[in-house]
Amino acid sequence: QEVTTSHDAGPSPNPANLEFFLPGDRAGWTSVTLLDMNGRILREWNADARFALGGMPGGFYTVRVALKDGSSLQGGLVVE
């Protein structure tokens, strides 16, 4: 499975506190996952969901977007 790290299409705002947004056409997405620094899945959303962060402690996380072709994109997110 191919994983591409994307800096120009990453989550915003960054840092975030209540929710974040992702640019792009969601038609090719299957899911969005929030992972901690150890790679553990903390939250997972459908591609058309609002990405709410309520209750997440401050820190650095990875946001991964799974694509319909089996690849994924990921970027860093700081939660305040």
Side-chain angles (χ1 to χ4, degrees):
Q1 177 179 348
E2 179 182 346
V3 176
T4 303
T5 301
S6 177
H7 298 287
D8 57 340
S12 66
N14 198 358
N17 52 29
L18 297 177
E19 66 183 348
F20 66 92
F21 304 93
L22 292 168
D25 180 8
R26 294 183 180 197
W29 302 1
T30 59
S31 65
V32 176
T33 306
L34 184 71
L35 302 109
D36 68 11
M37 293 304 296
N38 294 314
R40 290 183 298 233
I41 296 173
L42 303 175
R43 299 221 175 137
E44 192 162 15
W45 299 273
N46 292 328
D48 60 353
R50 290 182 62 185
F51 309 122
L53 295 169
M56 292 301 303
F60 186 80
Y61 298 90
T62 298
V63 175
R64 181 174 294 155
V65 177
L67 305 175
K68 289 181 179 177
D69 68 3
S71 65
S72 63
L73 302 172
Q74 69 181 30
L77 176 68
V78 175
V79 175
E80 293 185 322

